[in-house]
Amino acid sequence: MHYFETLLVLGAALAIGWRWVGSYMAGVYEGRVSFLRWLESPIYKLAGIDPQAEQPWQRYAGALAVFSGVAF
């Protein structure tokens, strides 16, 4: 019974918030929204990441392999 209640609450939250969350995510991916940029910038600098640069498939595959290995 708890499983059904959990699904019901999650479904209700999704039904209520999908429009705002979707708009926010689209704005972030398009670069129009910079709500957490103050937090991202120092992390990018510490990690040596250029947020404007494209990620080649080799680097993506390597990051995926490392993440999967750590998660496993």
Side-chain angles (χ1 to χ4, degrees):
M1 189 65 179
H2 294 289
Y3 181 72
F4 178 72
E5 291 171 356
T6 302
L7 287 178
L8 188 64
V9 169
L10 288 175
L14 180 62
I16 292 170
W18 70 272
R19 178 73 173 147
W20 296 285
V21 173
S23 297
Y24 174 74
M25 288 177 63
V28 168
Y29 290 134
E30 292 173 357
R32 294 182 285 120
V33 176
S34 59
F35 176 65
L36 293 175
R37 189 153 303 164
W38 62 271
L39 180 63
E40 292 176 353
S41 296
I43 294 171
Y44 285 160
K45 285 182 182 178
L46 283 172
I49 297 171
D50 180 11
Q52 300 301 320
E54 294 285 330
Q55 184 178 34
W57 71 268
Q58 296 93 342
R59 188 167 181 190
Y60 177 79
L64 181 65
V66 169
F67 180 80
S68 296
V70 169
F72 182 68

